Amino acid sequence: MSIDWITVLAQIANFLVLVWLLKRFLYRPILDGIDAREAEISNRMNEAVEAKDKAAAVEADYHDKLRALNLSQSEISETIRKSAEDQRDALLAEAAQQMKAERENWQAHLGDEAHKFTTHLHRVGAETLLSLTRKALTDLADETLEERMARHLVQQIKPMVEDLKKAAGDATVATVVSHDALPVPVQKILKAEILALCPNATVTFKTDSAQVPGLMFRLGGAQIAWTLDSYIEGLESLMEDRLNTSAGPKVVTDAS
Amino acid sequence: MNLSPDQTIMFEAWGLPVNATIFYTWVVMILLTVGSMLITRNLRPDVPPNRWRTTLEVVVQGIQSQINEVARGSSRYLLYYAGTLFLFVATSNLLLVVPGFEPPTSSLSTTTGLAISVLIAVPLFGITSRGIGGYLKTYVQPSFIMLPFNIISEFSRGISLAIRLYGNIMSGAVIAAILLSVAPFFFPVVMDVLGLLTGMIQAYIFAILATVYISSAIAPTPQPQKETP
């Protein structure tokens, strides 16, 4: 057991060289590689954390948007529902108004039809009454209707002749208006009777198709008339009474 | 029978004799350097590590963790130094199984050289860490009376390191050689296996003791406060 000091020095030098070589070719590359990998892992971890944070932020944003969307949807639904209700109310009001207007139109139309019917009934009733009266007078009294009307008019004029003259003032034209032209004998009778009551009058005869059958005497501004209006109205009320009593349901009971 | 490879002259270079200790030391150095170069030549961050690189990383990180257990917060220079000590001694001892190879660590000159390097490294690391004044103060700790004892302690550490490694490796090699001449078939194999084990243990002990000596010289780093209940 001996120590070779030259070998000792050589081994110290060899060892130092080996330290440098291993530092150059082993430790530094390996440690740098480990450091780089750790840094890469750390970066990836940081990136993962950032990505996780971003994902969390995106998720929160998504939830916020979803909540806002739901809120917006409910608001839109409420708005649509209110709009639909308003529109429904407007349509119902418009329909009610249309129905009211149609009902009024229908009522007016019904009134027109009733007026037309009443007018037609008047005319037909008057013609019928006139025809029946004329035939009855001819058959029973051998007189004409116009002659009877003329005599009846004269009978009406007589008690009122003074009042008529006062009302007529200075007028001297006496006019007899009828629906149809009066026969000449009737005109002569009337003219004679009128001249007997009013000697200064000038008697004229006129026809008016719009006038109800009958006679109308006019002296200046005063006038007196006999027409079938009152008879026709009486006939109408009489027919209505009869129709009302006959149109209702009748209960027939068997006495036996 | 030569007890030391120092006495075996392998060849002469430029008139200087190169003994087996130096020669096999160079062999170990070439093996370690070339192996490291081959493994770390394509070391790039974008290339995934292969099994050899992973093995080296495990070895280096193992050494680093052992050093950190002894000297917490140590610099990388301590890893370079103590790691090289371990790799050199371990590789020398492992090559004991190669027929004809004489481990340099079986030479007292090698172990003495390594012990001297430790003796030089301890004050260097201490001065680097504490400063020259701070390091010299450690020799008079806890009192001035301890100065001669501390100096003796420094030298005795180196001597014990050198003798321990040399004695174990040399004795293993010598015993294996003796048994090879007596019973050449069975016992040498057993002794070689035992030599591998003791060689690795000795490499570990040498490196860890050197680390302990150096860590005792460098400034202690503050330990993290543990939470007390």
Side-chain angles (χ1 to χ4, degrees):
Chain A
M1 187 177 83
S2 61
I3 296 174
D4 182 3
W5 290 105
I6 294 174
T7 304
V8 168
L9 291 175
Q11 289 297 75
I12 291 172
N14 284 335
F15 177 72
L16 293 177
V17 170
L18 183 61
V19 168
W20 182 83
L21 287 173
L22 290 186
K23 174 190 169 187
R24 171 73 177 78
F25 296 109
L26 175 64
Y27 299 119
R28 187 167 290 172
I30 290 289
L31 292 174
D32 288 348
I34 290 171
D35 290 344
R37 198 157 63 242
E38 284 180 351
E40 188 181 349
I41 290 169
S42 177
N43 286 335
R44 286 187 180 179
M45 289 295 289
N46 290 333
E47 287 174 1
V49 169
E50 287 178 3
K52 190 178 176 184
D53 292 343
K54 279 184 183 175
V58 169
E59 186 184 6
D61 185 46
Y62 167 75
H63 283 303
D64 289 343
K65 282 183 179 175
L66 194 64
R67 200 176 299 113
L69 186 65
N70 287 334
L71 192 63
S72 173
Q73 276 184 344
S74 61
E75 285 178 356
I76 289 170
S77 300
E78 185 67 19
T79 307
I80 290 172
R81 192 180 63 78
K82 283 185 178 176
S83 174
E85 284 180 357
D86 293 344
Q87 198 169 0
R88 184 199 61 191
D89 293 343
L91 287 173
L92 284 174
E94 188 181 354
Q97 198 171 358
Q98 279 185 353
M99 283 181 67
K100 185 180 175 185
E102 285 182 3
R103 191 183 296 117
E104 287 175 352
N105 287 337
W106 180 73
Q107 292 284 356
H109 178 70
L110 205 61
D112 289 345
E113 290 294 321
H115 179 68
K116 283 180 184 174
F117 177 73
T118 306
T119 307
H120 180 67
L121 187 64
H122 271 247
R123 189 171 55 80
V124 171
E127 287 174 1
T128 305
L129 186 62
L130 203 62
S131 174
L132 289 174
T133 306
R134 181 177 287 114
K135 190 172 185 331
L137 280 174
T138 304
D139 292 346
L140 297 177
D142 198 17
E143 289 185 0
T144 61
L145 179 62
E146 283 76 13
E147 189 178 338
R148 287 307 305 169
M149 285 194 298
R151 292 185 189 282
H152 184 73
L153 181 65
V154 171
Q155 290 299 322
Q156 281 189 322
I157 292 170
K158 278 181 181 174
M160 300 171 67
V161 66
E162 294 302 324
D163 294 334
L164 283 172
K165 286 179 181 175
K166 286 180 184 175
D170 296 335
T172 58
V173 178
T175 306
V176 177
V177 182
S178 61
H179 184 268
D180 297 318
L182 293 172
V184 175
V186 175
Q187 287 185 5
K188 285 181 179 176
I189 292 169
L190 264 178
K191 188 173 181 180
E193 292 287 343
I194 292 168
L195 286 175
L197 294 173
C198 303
N200 298 325
T202 303
V203 180
T204 58
F205 294 91
K206 286 185 178 177
T207 59
D208 186 2
S209 59
Q211 184 183 307
V212 179
L215 292 175
M216 184 171 67
F217 174 73
R218 190 182 299 155
L219 183 61
Q223 65 179 20
I224 187 167
W226 178 89
T227 63
L228 292 177
D229 267 345
S230 57
Y231 296 93
I232 290 168
E233 286 171 1
L235 176 65
E236 189 179 345
S237 61
L238 190 65
M239 285 176 70
E240 280 182 2
D241 291 341
R242 290 295 177 90
L243 285 172
N244 287 335
T245 51
S246 63
K250 292 179 179 177
V251 178
V252 178
T253 57
D254 191 358
S256 63
Chain B
M1 177 180 180
N2 290 330
L3 288 179
S4 172
D6 294 353
Q7 298 167 2
T8 306
I9 302 299
M10 300 298 289
F11 60 90
E12 287 190 3
W14 300 286
L16 294 175
V18 177
N19 58 29
T21 302
I22 294 173
F23 176 75
Y24 289 119
T25 298
W26 288 349
V27 170
V28 171
M29 289 169 65
I30 290 168
L31 275 176
L32 286 173
T33 305
V34 173
S36 299
M37 288 173 68
L38 289 175
I39 291 171
T40 60
R41 63 183 170 178
N42 287 328
L43 200 106
R44 293 198 309 271
D46 55 334
V47 177
N50 54 18
R51 65 182 67 179
W52 291 107
R53 181 183 159 189
T54 305
T55 305
L56 268 190
E57 285 183 1
V58 168
V59 170
V60 171
Q61 284 188 313
I63 296 168
Q64 179 76 65
S65 66
Q66 288 293 319
I67 292 170
N68 282 338
E69 285 182 8
V70 175
R72 201 173 292 275
S74 59
S75 66
R76 283 200 167 172
Y77 290 103
L78 184 57
L79 170 69
Y80 302 154
Y81 182 79
T84 306
L85 269 180
F86 173 77
L87 289 177
F88 175 69
V89 175
T91 307
S92 299
N93 295 344
L94 288 178
L95 290 176
L96 182 68
V97 297
V98 177
F101 184 86
E102 291 189 45
T105 46
S106 64
S107 163
L108 186 57
S109 301
T110 302
T111 57
T112 303
L114 294 179
I116 289 172
S117 75
V118 173
L119 282 178
I120 296 169
V122 168
L124 280 180
F125 277 100
I127 290 167
T128 305
S129 173
R130 295 171 185 261
I132 190 164
Y135 174 71
L136 290 177
K137 273 184 184 175
T138 59
Y139 282 92
V140 293
Q141 297 290 338
S143 66
F144 186 76
I145 302 168
M146 296 299 291
L147 176 63
F149 301 104
N150 283 331
I151 294 171
I152 293 168
S153 168
E154 284 293 318
F155 283 99
S156 63
R157 282 176 185 172
I159 293 167
S160 68
L161 272 177
I163 298 297
R164 181 188 297 110
L165 181 61
Y166 162 74
N168 279 287
I169 304 306
M170 186 273 289
S171 64
V174 170
I175 291 170
I178 292 170
L179 286 176
L180 188 62
S181 61
V182 175
F185 293 111
F186 181 69
F187 281 110
V189 177
V190 176
M191 287 307 296
D192 277 350
V193 173
L194 190 63
L196 290 176
L197 180 65
T198 56
M200 286 301 294
I201 292 171
Q202 288 306 314
Y204 176 76
I205 290 172
F206 195 93
I208 207 76
L209 283 176
T211 306
V212 169
Y213 296 154
I214 293 170
S215 67
S216 65
I218 62 178
T221 55
Q223 297 294 318
Q225 295 288 327
K226 288 184 179 178
E227 291 184 2
T228 55

